[in-house]
Amino acid sequence: MQEKRLQTIQGTDPKEAVVRLLNGLEKRSKDIIIRRFGLEEKPKETLEKIGQSYGITRERVRQIEDSVLASLQKPNKLKYVKSLEETLISVLEDKGDIAERNTLFSSIQSKLSSDIHPNVLEFVLELSPKFTKFAETKELKQAWATSTSSLIKVKKVIGGFIDYLKEKNKVLDTRTMINAVQENADVSRDAILSYINLSKNIKKNPYHEWGLKDWGTISPQGVKDKAYIVLIKKKKPLHFREITEAINQIDFDKRKATSRTVHNALIKDPRFVLVGRGTYGLTEAGYKPGTVADIVADVLAKCSLTREEIIHEVLKQRLVRKNTILLALQDSSKFKKVGEKYYLNTKIKS
C-alpha cells in the first residue's frame, strides 16, 4: 500500500493535470478561472479587476466563476486531478487528517518530482469535495483537512498541551512535547507536530523548544530576553561580548544586537549577576549579587573556614583573582581571624 502510494505521488504532474482539467472551457471562462486562482503562477486577481478587463461587472465575473467551478466538479472532470487528490489525501493522513496551509504545501512539494505552485494545489483543494477548509481564527491558523471532525481532535490536543505548558512553566524539546501529548491522546508523532503547528498560542524558539508564544524564552522581546536564552543554553557565565555574538548568530528576529546595548541591559536586570569583569551569570543558576566581600560574608554565614576553603567557595561565585578575595578578608569590620586559619563573619559569635 505504501509503495503504491509513493508511486502515485511521484507520478503526479499537477500542472499537466490542471491543464487537462481546464481543456474544453470557453476562452473567457478559462481565463477568468486562471486569473482568479493564479494558475499561471501569478498573483490572484480580484473580481473587479477581471471585470474591468472584460468590460463587465464584478458580479458577472462571480457568476461565470461559480458556473465554471460547478462544471469542473463533475466526475468526468475531476478524474484529471484524481492522482493529485490522492497525493493530498495521503499527506494529510500522515498528518492526522489536517494540516496548516503552508505546511501542507511544503510537504506536498517535497514528495513531488516536479515543482508546483501553491496556487495550483489550493485550486484543487477548493475544487474537490474531498477536502474541508478551516478559516484562520484568533486561536488557529488556516488549515485543510479530509474531515470536518478533524478540528475537534486538534483543539483537544492543543488545549491539553497548553494546560501542560502552564503547569510545567518551562520550554520543552520536541521529544518531551510529543511524549507529553501522547500520554493523553493516541496520536502519531507527525500528527502531533501538525496539530501543534496549527496553534497561534504555541511557538518554537530557535533552539527548537516549544512553549507559549508570550514567554520570553519563546518570543524574546529585547536583548535581555535573548541574553537570558543564550545563558540558559550555554549553562555557564559569558562575557557580554560573547553574549552579543551568540545573540546575533542565533538571529532571533533579524535585529542586530550591540555589545553596549547588551551590557547596559544586563547590568540593570536582576536575572543577571556580574561575576567578573564584563562577565554575567544567571541568578537562577545560583549566582548571587553583591561585591566579593558580600560573597565572602555569605560563605562564612554558617561556619568559619580556612583561607583556602574561602577562596574555593568564592571562586564558584566570582571570576576574580585570589588576591581580590584576600583583600576583601582584610576588612576587619566584616571579618576576623580565629586562630591561625579560620575567618568568621563578625556578626556570628564564636
Side-chain angles (χ1 to χ4, degrees), residues 138-141 158 161-162 165 170-174 177 192-221 229 251-253 255:
K138 183 179 179 181
E139 305 293 328
L140 300 172
K141 303 170 187 174
I158 290 175
F161 186 55
I162 287 177
L165 284 171
K170 65 178 182 180
V171 296
L172 303 175
D173 59 39
T174 299
M177 180 268 284
I192 291 171
L193 290 173
S194 181
Y195 293 177
I196 298 300
N197 187 52
L198 278 167
S199 174
K200 288 184 176 181
N201 295 315
I202 302 170
K203 289 183 66 177
K204 183 170 61 174
N205 69 17
Y207 289 103
H208 302 286
E209 296 168 324
W210 301 85
L212 298 179
K213 68 173 184 179
D214 55 353
W215 285 358
T217 48
I218 293 296
S219 303
Q221 297 303 304
I229 295 174
D251 200 19
F252 286 97
D253 52 17
R255 289 182 292 183

Side-chain angles (χ1 to χ4, degrees), residues 70-276:
S71 69
L72 294 178
Q73 288 174 324
K74 294 178 179 179
N76 67 321
K77 281 292 188 178
L78 285 177
K79 67 181 181 180
Y80 294 117
V81 293
K82 182 179 180 180
S83 62
L84 187 52
E85 277 183 332
E86 292 177 351
T87 300
L88 286 161
I89 290 171
S90 70
V91 172
L92 283 169
E93 286 177 348
D94 290 340
K95 295 183 178 301
D97 299 322
I98 186 169
E100 184 265 334
R101 176 187 182 275
N102 294 330
T103 300
L104 174 60
F105 293 169
S106 177
S107 297
I108 290 288
Q109 184 61 74
S110 68
K111 294 179 180 294
L112 295 173
S113 56
S114 58
D115 290 339
I116 179 171
H117 196 278
N119 289 349
V120 174
L121 288 175
E122 194 153 39
F123 174 63
V124 175
L125 287 164
E126 295 272 9
L127 194 65
S128 174
K130 296 181 179 180
F131 306 104
T132 299
K133 182 179 182 179
F134 291 106
E136 180 180 2
T137 68
K138 183 179 179 181
E139 305 293 328
L140 300 172
K141 303 170 187 174
Q142 183 191 116
W144 284 98
T146 55
S147 169
T148 55
S149 63
S150 301
L151 203 59
I152 298 174
K153 196 169 189 178
V154 167
K155 289 181 176 179
K156 182 178 180 180
V157 167
I158 290 175
F161 186 55
I162 287 177
D163 289 341
Y164 184 86
L165 284 171
K166 288 179 179 177
E167 178 186 348
K168 296 299 181 181
N169 196 32
K170 65 178 182 180
V171 296
L172 303 175
D173 59 39
T174 299
R175 177 181 294 182
T176 305
M177 180 268 284
I178 290 172
N179 289 340
V181 173
Q182 289 179 332
E183 285 181 3
N184 300 301
D186 182 19
V187 188
S188 70
R189 179 185 185 278
D190 288 344
I192 291 171
L193 290 173
S194 181
Y195 293 177
I196 298 300
N197 187 52
L198 278 167
S199 174
K200 288 184 176 181
N201 295 315
I202 302 170
K203 289 183 66 177
K204 183 170 61 174
N205 69 17
Y207 289 103
H208 302 286
E209 296 168 324
W210 301 85
L212 298 179
K213 68 173 184 179
D214 55 353
W215 285 358
T217 48
I218 293 296
S219 303
Q221 297 303 304
V223 293
K224 291 186 290 186
D225 286 344
K226 295 172 186 177
Y228 177 78
I229 295 174
V230 167
L231 288 173
I232 282 287
K233 300 308 295 183
K234 295 295 184 179
K235 298 180 179 179
K236 65 177 183 179
L238 294 174
H239 191 276
F240 67 87
R241 291 194 181 89
E242 294 177 295
I243 295 173
T244 304
E245 183 179 354
I247 288 173
N248 291 332
Q249 285 178 346
I250 296 168
D251 200 19
F252 286 97
D253 52 17
K254 308 300 181 183
R255 289 182 292 183
K256 292 293 182 182
T258 65
S259 297
R260 179 185 293 274
T261 301
V262 171
H263 186 43
N264 290 341
L266 301 193
I267 205 166
K268 300 174 184 178
D269 193 309
R271 289 179 294 177
F272 308 97
V273 175
L274 188 63
V275 299

Side-chain angles (χ1 to χ4, degrees), residues 50-62:
I50 295 173
Q52 288 174 349
S53 68
Y54 281 107
I56 57 178
T57 65
R58 64 189 308 278
E59 176 59 21
R60 180 56 185 148
V61 176
R62 187 192 62 76

Side-chain angles (χ1 to χ4, degrees), residues 16-83:
E16 178 62 26
V18 171
V19 168
R20 295 173 66 188
L21 175 69
L22 299 181
N23 277 344
L25 291 179
E26 184 266 329
K27 184 178 179 181
R28 185 177 70 170
S29 297
K30 183 177 180 179
D31 182 58
I32 287 174
I33 294 300
I34 288 174
R35 292 167 66 181
R36 282 290 287 149
F37 288 90
L39 298 181
E40 291 185 344
E41 302 185 5
K42 296 178 181 178
K44 299 177 183 180
E45 296 185 33
T46 64
L47 293 169
E48 186 172 356
K49 184 176 181 180
I50 295 173
Q52 288 174 349
S53 68
Y54 281 107
I56 57 178
T57 65
R58 64 189 308 278
E59 176 59 21
R60 180 56 185 148
V61 176
R62 187 192 62 76
Q63 292 173 354
I64 295 172
E65 178 186 341
D66 290 346
S67 176
V68 174
L69 291 178
S71 69
L72 294 178
Q73 288 174 324
K74 294 178 179 179
N76 67 321
K77 281 292 188 178
L78 285 177
K79 67 181 181 180
Y80 294 117
V81 293
K82 182 179 180 180
S83 62

